[in-house]
Amino acid sequence: MKTHTFKTPVFLYVLLGCIAFSPLLQAKTDVFFNGQGLSSIQVEGVERLHSIPRTIWLVKQASGSGLRADPSSRSFDPGSRTLTETYPWGTIRQVYHVLPEGLQIHMTVENHSEETITELRLNSLKLTGLGQYTKGGGSTAGVAGPPFLPVVGPEGSIVYSLDSEPRRPVKLLTSVEADAIPVKVILGGEELLVDNVTAEHRIEPGAGTGFRLGFRFGGPGSDPFVVAEDFIESCRKEHPMVLEWPDRRLMIRLFFGGGVSREVADHNLQHPDDVVPPEPDEKFRQRILSTMRNTVEAAKAGDAQGVIVWDLEGGTYPHATTYIGDPRHIRLLNPQMDLVIDEAFQILKDAGLKIGITLRTSRVVYNEEKKTTAHSHTVAEDPFRELDAKVAYAKERWGCEIFYVDTNYFWRPYGPKQEWKAGRVPPELWVRLVEKYPDTLFIPEFGNIGDYQAAAIYGEADMGNYKTPELARVLWPESFRFIVIEDADPYLQFERFVETVRDRNALMTFGSNPDAKNVQASVLIYREAGWLDEGMPRAVERADASELTSLLASDEAKVRFYAARKLREHPADAAAADLFALARNPEEIWNVRRQALHALGEISSPAGIEDMIAIFSESGSGLQPAVAVALKGQGEAAAEPVLNLLSEQVAVKSRDLNRLPVLTRLLLDVAPKEAGLRLHDLVAQVPLFPSTYHQRVNQAALIEAIGRFGHPGSEDYLASLLNDDSLQEAAAEALVSLGTENSRSRVQAALESAKANNNQEAVKRFTAALKKN
């Protein structure tokens, strides 16, 4: 079995021994010892050593039994700075190497027992906290990412480095306590790190193992990536960037569904050689070709680089079998598509668009014994060969250049018991594929840091994915992600998406027609990102507050945009009329209208509230969040109009996902507490909403506002929702927000009832609500 996939660089041994000669900007570190061992680590005169915990917190033998974790003897040699701990089963030695920028601990473990040690969990140093973390934490084993870990906070930074000898998986863990950072090292165990690589690190009788754990320190305001600059540079040399894909334009994704019936699909999978192509269905053909032509128009509207068809094989099977990811199976599972797809893809190629499809590392097969159809990894045998064969087919038939890889895990049996486990495919798989297929883009659904070397990782904004991890970007400056904007609402999260694009990531969205909401939103996002990257026009840069108003009438859209943007920082009451003129004009470029509304949020214009409400009511404009900014700037003068608007939206059962959440949060900003009574009067209408996902989001927003306004008459209503699975989380949080002893006790009672009924999901929700407030 392989032991490492993301290679632990040989250079690390040299670097750890030669840090003293590194010219990096690390903080001056003083390390002190006493007769017992290490006693102090001072960084720029500030103590960084919190304590030294007991060395072992778990040691296990092959039989599964635990061994003694307390040493029978302990000694420290000040001359060699060696701490030796003797146990009934062996010894642990720690040799401290003091360096100008930090400390290295060379630890060796010897097994003197007659049984193999299979797992050893060790405590290293406990360091003082750095204040609130801004990045870092987590773990690294040098398996699917670099063998060092940067952590930073307001009070300084730390870079941990780790290497084993001989090279075997060693896991470094850092966690955050109130005032300390415990550092732990794990050798062995049964954890699966990536496909075909377990944490196995056996120490046979009479044998030993070792590793080096390094600590580098930076002072307040330091950048850990500067502290680790030589590590980073050497990692780049060992693992150079393989992915070359400078195009960061929009990617369209397309779903067709369809496919044969379950019975026919099962039969075809059992007897693939007997499948005869069906008679062409001209209606089906025209529908597919029409969709492709519309998709081309959408791609042109969004300036997209390509189109990924997610489900060429149809959608016959339910989740989690749904996405087949095997273009060779189209003829078996979606034969009508097989007859038309060559012609359909040619439409994309003729339009200059790149073609993409979905792949999976597994293969769908019918199980005769179980009478079920599912993804099999036994048949696939090897993830590289499986993907290689599918890529070769798609390239030969259609010239595909882009491959989304769904569920990039591989299942196989491990250990003496041959237990099946799922491991994420390793970074080297993407490297091998790109080296074999240059000018090809792979987009795996999930990604470790090491995967960014050769692949662009998929991400969904509604799951909190907006950017490339900082460590990946530092290692490979051109690494990036494709961020799907569905369900996150591109208008509500507009500025975050602009930063996503400015951070050199790409967006991905549905796009079967040019008028699709998210295609249009993508155009606006990319436009604003481009304008911001180009910088402020000189005319606006030189203008003072009084001159900015005249620039709002410029013939150049970007000048109007920047003039309104600058007025946000230098508000001028005299500009209100011109800003309203821009904001009201439906022919004005959307980005300019949005900036004008934001600028109006900095100007008191009660007379303009009616206009703001009118803009809010524009269907499909996506300006509601910007109008909320403008209304918030009007303070309590906006409270009554906002309440009236909210009442209207509830009455018509608004289906616009962002309207009610925007209004209810706005109400909290502008309305006095007494408005809670009006809001409470609306709750009787909430149950009338259809039980759709979007409406539940709207209901949850109303419920949140009810709780935060704290109207005591709402308690019984909120308590009545605690049994509604889709609303109980919002109701519980709202009840706790009311702040009364009785409202909190009702949530506590619901929690106890959920525990008694073994309703784990409800337990999680109620527990979270009680902790939140």
Side-chain angles (χ1 to χ4, degrees):
M1 181 179 289
K2 296 176 291 182
T3 55
H4 279 68
T5 53
F6 192 95
K7 298 176 185 176
T8 304
V10 176
F11 67 81
L12 199 53
Y13 288 110
V14 178
L15 284 174
L16 289 173
C18 302
I19 292 178
F21 300 102
S22 173
L24 301 179
L25 301 176
Q26 293 137 341
K28 182 178 183 299
T29 302
D30 296 301
V31 182
F32 300 95
F33 298 85
N34 58 25
Q36 301 300 310
L38 180 66
S39 61
S40 175
I41 301 174
Q42 295 187 13
V43 180
E44 301 290 357
V46 177
E47 184 60 58
R48 282 283 172 235
L49 181 62
H50 179 281
S51 59
I52 302 178
R54 186 177 71 174
T55 303
I56 296 176
W57 52 292
L58 177 72
V59 56
K60 290 175 67 174
Q61 294 178 304
S63 62
S65 60
L67 294 173
R68 181 173 167 179
D70 293 314
S72 52
S73 66
R74 187 178 188 276
S75 63
F76 179 69
D77 179 3
S80 63
R81 290 173 177 156
T82 301
L83 176 66
T84 302
E85 293 180 324
T86 303
Y87 299 83
W89 50 265
T91 60
I92 295 179
R93 289 186 179 86
Q94 300 182 60
V95 182
Y96 297 94
H97 299 281
V98 179
L99 307 166
E101 301 84 2
L103 177 69
Q104 179 201 121
I105 303 175
H106 183 189
M107 182 175 288
T108 57
V109 180
E110 296 175 357
N111 180 9
H112 297 164
S113 73
E114 296 181 356
E115 189 173 348
T116 300
I117 293 174
T118 56
E119 185 172 2
L120 187 60
R121 301 191 173 209
L122 306 167
N123 293 308
S124 185
L125 309 180
K126 182 178 280 192
L127 304 172
T128 58
L130 299 173
Q132 184 178 359
Y133 284 84
T134 54
K135 57 176 175 280
S139 65
T140 180
V143 172
F148 60 87
L149 178 67
V151 181
V152 67
E155 297 173 20
S157 62
I158 306 171
V159 175
Y160 309 95
S161 57
L162 183 66
D163 205 355
S164 65
E165 46 180 69
R167 293 184 185 178
R168 292 193 256 173
V170 178
K171 191 165 187 179
L172 171 67
L173 297 176
T174 64
S175 57
V176 181
E177 296 180 355
D179 61 345
I181 308 170
V183 181
K184 305 174 186 292
V185 176
I186 302 176
L187 288 77
E190 299 179 359
E191 182 180 358
L192 181 60
L193 302 177
V194 294
D195 174 51
N196 215 21
V197 181
T198 69
E200 182 182 356
H201 195 131
R202 297 166 66 88
I203 310 174
E204 304 294 342
T209 189
F211 60 87
R212 291 177 172 91
L213 176 60
F215 300 84
R216 289 185 179 183
F217 298 94
S222 62
D223 184 341
F225 298 123
V226 173
V227 175
E229 187 174 3
D230 52 346
F231 285 174
I232 291 166
E233 193 57 40
S234 296
C235 250
R236 286 190 195 133
K237 290 178 181 178
E238 188 86 16
H239 304 280
M241 184 75 175
V242 175
L243 173 64
E244 293 185 15
W245 199 269
D247 196 340
R248 306 300 164 84
R249 291 178 297 159
L250 180 68
M251 186 74 74
I252 299 292
R253 58 180 189 155
L254 192 58
F255 294 75
F256 283 108
V260 296
S261 69
R262 183 75 174 266
E263 294 74 19
V264 172
D266 288 348
H267 178 272
N268 289 351
L269 287 170
Q270 293 175 78
H271 309 286
D273 295 335
D274 298 339
V275 175
V276 177
E279 288 297 316
D281 182 334
E282 184 59 23
K283 186 176 180 181
F284 178 89
R285 174 177 172 272
Q286 290 301 330
R287 179 173 68 82
I288 297 301
L289 297 182
S290 175
T291 298
M292 281 301 193
R293 285 189 284 267
N294 288 339
T295 300
V296 166
E297 293 304 311
K300 288 180 180 177
D303 189 30
Q305 59 177 297
V307 177
I308 299 176
V309 179
W310 230 255
D311 56 352
L312 278 181
E313 307 88 344
T316 298
Y317 296 104
H319 185 78
T321 307
T322 306
Y323 301 126
I324 305 301
D326 191 342
R328 301 166 301 182
H329 275 8
I330 305 176
R331 71 180 188 90
L332 306 179
L333 304 177
N334 201 3
Q336 286 294 340
M337 180 66 79
D338 192 44
L339 298 179
V340 71
I341 192 58
D342 297 357
E343 188 179 0
F345 274 155
Q346 191 61 46
I347 292 173
L348 300 182
K349 291 170 74 173
D350 291 344
L353 293 166
K354 299 180 181 71
I355 298 173
I357 64 170
T358 293
L359 303 180
R360 288 181 78 155
T361 57
S362 53
R363 196 182 309 172
V364 167
V365 298
Y366 179 80
N367 187 309
E368 180 66 39
E369 182 181 344
K370 296 181 178 179
K371 307 298 183 186
T372 59
T373 300
H375 287 275
S376 168
H377 296 79
T378 304
V379 174
E381 294 184 347
D382 175 73
F384 174 79
R385 285 193 293 167
E386 186 70 15
L387 290 179
D388 180 29
K390 294 173 181 177
V391 169
Y393 178 92
K395 280 186 167 293
E396 174 67 24
R397 182 170 178 183
W398 304 302
C400 289
E401 299 174 72
I402 302 167
F403 297 96
Y404 165 71
V405 184
D406 194 86
T407 318
N408 50 301
Y409 281 77
F410 202 76
W411 277 254
R412 64 173 88 226
Y414 293 88
K417 297 180 181 178
Q418 289 293 280
E419 222 178 319
W420 283 82
K421 296 181 181 180
R424 192 176 298 179
V425 297
E428 67 178 15
L429 181 140
W430 313 118
V431 173
R432 291 174 65 191
L433 286 170
V434 173
E435 287 176 345
K436 184 170 183 178
Y437 301 104
D439 304 320
T440 301
L441 178 65
F442 293 92
I443 309 173
E445 181 178 7
F446 305 101
N448 292 310
I449 293 296
D451 294 311
Y452 286 89
Q453 179 190 5
I457 313 304
Y458 172 89
E460 296 182 355
D462 64 319
M463 302 298 289
N465 298 309
Y466 285 89
K467 289 193 173 185
T468 298
E470 193 168 7
L471 180 55
R473 182 59 61 76
V474 167
L475 285 167
W476 302 292
E478 293 305 311
S479 60
F480 73 107
R481 303 187 74 170
F482 276 95
I483 306 298
V484 175
I485 67 177
E486 271 81 57
D487 294 333
D489 197 303
Y491 297 109
L492 201 58
Q493 303 294 341
F494 187 79
E495 290 189 0
R496 293 188 72 175
F497 282 123
V498 169
E499 287 307 305
T500 295
V501 172
R502 295 192 71 195
D503 192 46
R504 306 192 310 284
N505 296 291
L507 302 184
M508 183 184 290
T509 190
F510 295 129
S512 58
N513 69 81
D515 296 323
K517 169 188 172 182
N518 286 348
V519 172
Q520 294 297 316
S522 298
V523 172
L524 306 176
I525 292 165
Y526 274 96
R527 176 193 292 149
E528 187 142 330
W531 281 353
L532 292 174
D533 285 345
E534 290 167 7
M536 186 179 292
R538 184 164 295 183
V540 180
E541 191 175 357
R542 292 177 172 177
D544 59 27
S546 62
E547 296 169 324
L548 288 173
T549 302
S550 63
L551 292 176
L552 293 174
S554 170
D555 292 336
E556 189 178 347
K558 190 168 79 167
V559 171
R560 299 195 299 275
F561 168 85
Y562 267 104
R565 185 178 177 85
K566 194 171 180 179
L567 279 165
R568 292 168 61 176
E569 301 172 7
H570 306 283
D573 291 347
D578 295 278
L579 288 169
F580 271 116
L582 291 177
R584 283 193 305 258
N585 183 5
E587 302 301 317
E588 178 58 82
I589 287 179
W590 185 92
N591 305 75
V592 177
R593 295 183 73 189
R594 179 177 176 277
Q595 289 297 330
L597 285 165
H598 276 264
L600 286 166
E602 303 298 327
I603 300 172
S604 179
S605 305
I609 290 176
E610 187 176 336
D611 282 332
M612 296 176 193
I613 295 293
I615 297 170
F616 189 97
S617 300
E618 287 183 22
S619 178
S621 73
L623 285 169
Q624 284 78 16
V627 174
V629 172
L631 286 167
K632 182 179 177 180
Q634 310 315 308
E636 288 194 14
E640 188 67 22
V642 169
L643 267 168
N644 292 335
L645 183 58
L646 181 61
S647 299
E648 292 173 13
Q649 295 297 314
V650 171
V652 299
K653 301 180 177 63
S654 173
R655 295 183 183 275
D656 190 327
L657 179 58
N658 69 32
R659 289 195 178 189
L660 291 187
V662 166
L663 283 172
T664 52
R665 287 171 177 79
L666 173 61
L667 198 63
L668 292 166
D669 290 324
V670 301
K673 282 287 184 183
E674 293 73 28
L677 184 60
R678 279 279 305 275
L679 184 62
H680 176 68
D681 292 339
L682 293 175
V683 301
Q685 301 179 56
V686 176
L688 300 178
F689 279 90
S691 296
T692 64
Y693 167 73
H694 284 189
Q695 296 305 330
R696 290 293 183 175
V697 170
N698 285 334
Q699 285 177 276
L702 283 169
I703 291 165
E704 177 191 355
I706 291 168
R708 289 179 62 185
F709 266 107
H711 181 58
S714 302
E715 185 179 309
D716 288 342
Y717 170 74
L718 293 173
S720 72
L721 300 177
L722 292 178
N723 292 323
D724 186 328
D725 288 346
S726 61
L727 293 176
Q728 63 184 194
E729 183 175 6
E733 290 181 4
L735 274 168
V736 176
S737 294
L738 290 179
T740 69
E741 185 175 337
N742 189 54
S743 63
R744 188 177 183 87
S745 66
R746 293 177 89 156
V747 178
Q748 186 66 49
L751 172 61
E752 297 307 320
S753 175
K755 288 179 178 178
N757 294 318
N758 198 28
N759 186 342
Q760 295 303 315
E761 289 302 314
V763 168
K764 290 178 185 176
R765 292 170 187 148
F766 295 141
T767 301
L770 289 165
K771 286 182 178 178
K772 204 167 190 177
N773 295 280

